[in-house]
């Protein structure tokens, strides 16, 4: 049972229905792509997932539209048409071989909230907009949160033309291929005056909630992330014919850079910094040829923005001198950069008191992963609600959150929206 305080009869979020939605979205996966869900940003499959969201919200009587960035919005009218909107939502795309919950959990929670409100005929003064963001995952183009960055005015046409996937398809081309016009994305921009507050529900992607037996997390800070591509160029030559002392091996230099990154992150001055090299490409990529060129993709995350940028600068500086010593050339290219965000105290307090009202335990915690919340908080005050991730695992087919845990989080989301609706009303309409 997951009661939602409404002032009248309690509403009950339905775990089975949430699970049905999760399963339906999980079925929309690239065939022959291996285990788990593969539904990348700006693909036909991502659009199919948005169509499922559209159909559900339309059937509940909401007004639904898709913006120039591919985000889908569904509005339930409030009783006061002059008020700005309250919002809730998350994203529907995935990384390759993902689980079924990252992003999707927040969208199905929004879908269930819309159903609860429709079936109980809940009245709210503010319009409520449920949002499915497009292209949140950075896996395809190296930049995360494209849909929410666009609405927040943090990215535009030039940026969309300059970022491309492994096949050389630019973000702009990918957007065009699914029917959007990248040069018109400014039209998707949100105005602060149109929005009162926003709540995103997301899986934790860490193990704090599970290990402490806490059903709900309320996020206070979201890490920033700087992503760079390091290209090391040596000389390709025969592995048998080239003596060790005559090599210019880009791969061994790359290996040293990977370990340098790890030791920098573990340095006590950098406590809280996370550096990862999640992808490396050696060329020509043959077992009998010394790698002439190696590219490393580095992700630096921190909740301290100064430390985030200083760490990147130090890594680049030291990797560069390491490459000089090894007689290979070094180049670094910035791929993406997002600052850490402190989410507004007021929304954290509202979600916390909602949990207390519903007698649901919670704890306040930071988020190491980026989220749409981080971007839209530039335009609308945003709160981020976490539900537990089994073993803390995410971006993997084994990612899992129980339907009951999801229902508990959904209850907090639904009641949180109604609490905001009460709290934020101007006096005249209270
Ligand atoms: Zn996500």
């Amino acid at each position: 049972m997951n009661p939602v305080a409404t002032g009248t009869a309690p509403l009950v979020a339905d775990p089975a229905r949430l699970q049905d939605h999760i399963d339906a979205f999980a079925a929309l996966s690239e065939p022959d792509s291996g285990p788990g869900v593969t539904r990348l940003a700006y693909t036909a499959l991502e659009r199919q997932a948005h169509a499922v969201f559209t159909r559900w919200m339309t059937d509940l009587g909401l007004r639904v539209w898709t913006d120039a960035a591919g985000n889908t919005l569904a509005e339930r009218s409030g009783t006061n048409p002059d008020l700005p909107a309250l919002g809730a939502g998350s994203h529907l795309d995935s990384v390759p071989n993902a689980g079924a919950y990252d992003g999707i959990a927040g969208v199905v929670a929004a879908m269930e909230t819309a159903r609860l409100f429709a079936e109980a005929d809940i009245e709210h003064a503010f319009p409520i907009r449920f949002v499915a963001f497009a292209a949140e995952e950075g896996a395809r183009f190296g930049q995360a949160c494209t849909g929410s960055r666009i609405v927040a005015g943090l990215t535009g046409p030039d940026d969309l033309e300059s970022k491309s996937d492994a096949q050389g398809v630019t973000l702009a081309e990918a957007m065009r291929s699914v029917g959007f016009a990248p040069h018109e994305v400014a039209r998707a921009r949100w105005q602060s005056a149109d929005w009162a507050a926003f709540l995103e529900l997301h899986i934790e992607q860490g193990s704090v909630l599970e290990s402490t037996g806490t059903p709900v997390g309320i996020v206070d800070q979201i890490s920033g992330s700087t992503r760079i591509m390091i290209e090391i160029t040596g000389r390709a030559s025969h592995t048998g014919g080239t003596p060790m002392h005559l090599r210019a091996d880009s791969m061994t230099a790359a290996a040293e850079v990977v370990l340098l990154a790890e030791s920098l992150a573990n340095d006590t001055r950098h406590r809280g910094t996370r550096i990862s090299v999640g992808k490396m490409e050696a060329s020509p990529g043959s077992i009998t040829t010394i790698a002439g060129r190696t590219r490393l993709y580095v992700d630096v995350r921190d909740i301290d923005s100064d430390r985030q940028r200083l760490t990147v600068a130090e890594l680049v500086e030291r990797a560069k001198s390491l490459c000089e010593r090894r007689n290979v050339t070094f180049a670094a290219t910035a791929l993406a950069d997002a600052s850490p965000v402190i989410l507004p105290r007021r929304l954290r307090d509202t979600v916390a008191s909602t949990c207390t009202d519903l007698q649901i335990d919670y704890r306040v915690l930071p988020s190491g992963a980026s989220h749409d919340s981080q971007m839209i908080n530039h335009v609308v005050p945003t709160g981020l609600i976490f539900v537990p991730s089994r073993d803390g695992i995410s971006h993997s087919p084994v990612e899992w959150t129980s339907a009951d845990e999801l229902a508990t989080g959904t209850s907090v989301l639904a009641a949180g929206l109604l609490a905001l609706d009460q709290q934020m009303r101007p006096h005249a309409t209270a």
Side-chain angles (χ1 to χ4, degrees):
M1 294 285 282
N2 293 283
V4 174
T6 64
T8 53
L11 303 177
V12 179
D14 181 354
R17 193 183 310 258
L18 288 161
Q19 190 62 52
D20 284 349
H21 287 314
I22 290 283
D23 295 344
F25 283 120
L28 296 173
S29 178
E30 211 67 64
D32 308 320
S33 57
V37 179
T38 298
R39 190 170 57 244
L40 303 185
Y42 294 128
T43 56
L45 272 172
E46 186 195 23
R47 297 324 305 167
Q48 282 179 39
H50 279 251
V52 169
F53 176 79
T54 297
R55 210 172 311 124
W56 179 262
M57 293 301 192
T58 306
D59 288 350
L60 288 174
L62 277 69
R63 185 171 70 89
V64 183
W65 69 98
T66 300
D67 69 15
N71 303 306
T72 305
L73 295 91
E75 181 173 295
R76 189 163 196 270
S77 308
T79 53
N80 183 344
D82 299 330
L83 291 178
L86 295 170
S90 192
H91 61 97
L92 283 171
D93 62 318
S94 83
V95 297
N97 306 114
Y101 296 86
D102 175 358
I104 322 308
V107 176
V108 305
M111 290 163 75
E112 175 66 353
T113 299
R115 180 192 74 88
L116 289 170
F117 289 178
E119 289 187 359
D121 243 336
I122 299 292
E123 279 199 349
H124 37 82
F126 291 80
I128 297 181
R129 292 185 195 141
F130 299 101
V131 183
F133 289 106
E136 191 271 350
E137 296 292 353
R140 182 172 177 195
F141 297 102
Q143 172 180 267
C145 305
T146 299
S148 51
R149 273 173 185 272
I150 288 172
V151 302
L154 299 171
T155 191
D158 292 350
D159 207 27
L160 300 171
E161 296 286 355
S162 72
K163 298 204 159 51
S164 47
D165 68 8
Q167 279 70 45
V169 178
T170 64
L171 244 172
E173 284 164 352
M175 289 177 79
R176 276 184 220 110
S177 77
V178 287
F180 299 106
H183 59 282
E184 288 175 3
V185 292
R187 293 201 336 236
R189 219 164 145 173
W190 292 3
Q191 302 303 321
S192 289
D194 296 336
W195 291 88
F198 195 97
L199 295 177
E200 177 177 15
L201 177 143
H202 203 282
I203 55 166
E204 183 196 344
Q205 308 180 287
S207 53
V208 174
L209 296 178
E210 184 186 58
S211 64
T212 57
T214 315
V216 167
I218 304 173
V219 175
D220 55 355
Q221 303 182 75
I222 306 177
S223 287
S225 163
T226 302
R227 293 170 194 180
I228 58 171
M229 192 267 283
I230 291 176
E231 185 171 275
I232 300 171
T233 311
R235 197 172 49 250
S237 63
H238 196 287
T239 51
T242 319
M244 296 308 284
H245 71 282
L246 290 180
R247 296 177 178 208
D249 187 342
S250 66
M251 182 63 98
T252 51
E256 213 177 322
V257 173
V258 173
L259 295 176
L260 166 67
E262 184 189 50
S263 72
L264 250 180
N266 283 327
D267 185 319
T268 48
R269 290 170 305 139
H270 291 276
R271 201 178 329 201
T273 308
R274 292 174 185 179
I275 314 183
S276 316
V277 182
K279 181 172 152 185
M280 192 148 107
E281 297 163 346
S283 158
S286 156
I287 192 169
T288 53
T289 308
I290 293 160
R293 190 194 71 203
T294 303
R295 287 178 168 169
L296 301 95
Y297 294 80
V298 190
D299 178 31
V300 179
R301 306 214 186 202
D302 211 308
I303 51 170
D304 177 325
S305 65
D306 284 345
R307 200 171 53 187
Q308 176 187 335
R309 274 60 185 240
L310 288 171
T311 302
V312 175
E314 185 171 351
L315 175 67
V316 165
E317 204 44 53
R318 288 175 59 181
K320 197 171 154 195
S321 60
L322 167 173
C323 286
E324 275 161 17
R325 179 164 46 76
R326 283 183 163 273
N327 216 11
V328 289
T329 63
F330 171 94
T333 313
L335 299 177
D337 185 63
S339 296
V341 159
I342 298 174
L343 294 173
R345 176 73 190 263
R346 178 177 174 189
L347 288 182
R348 287 193 333 250
D349 289 348
T350 301
V351 176
S353 60
T354 299
C355 288
T356 306
D357 290 347
L358 298 176
Q359 297 182 298
I360 293 169
D361 277 348
Y362 68 90
R363 67 186 289 142
V364 175
L365 76 180
S367 170
S370 347
H371 295 290
D372 292 312
S373 293
Q374 188 172 358
M375 305 305 155
I376 60 167
N377 186 59
H378 287 268
V379 187
V380 42
T382 299
L384 180 55
I385 300 166
F386 275 171
V387 292
S389 292
R390 183 177 60 191
D391 299 329
I393 294 174
S394 182
H395 284 190
S396 153
V398 302
E399 176 183 275
W400 191 76
T401 299
S402 77
D404 284 334
E405 289 169 323
L406 203 46
T408 301
T410 302
S411 298
V412 173
L413 177 73
L417 286 170
L418 296 180
L420 288 169
D421 179 62
Q422 290 293 332
Q423 275 172 24
M424 300 183 88
R425 285 180 194 205
H427 271 292
T429 60

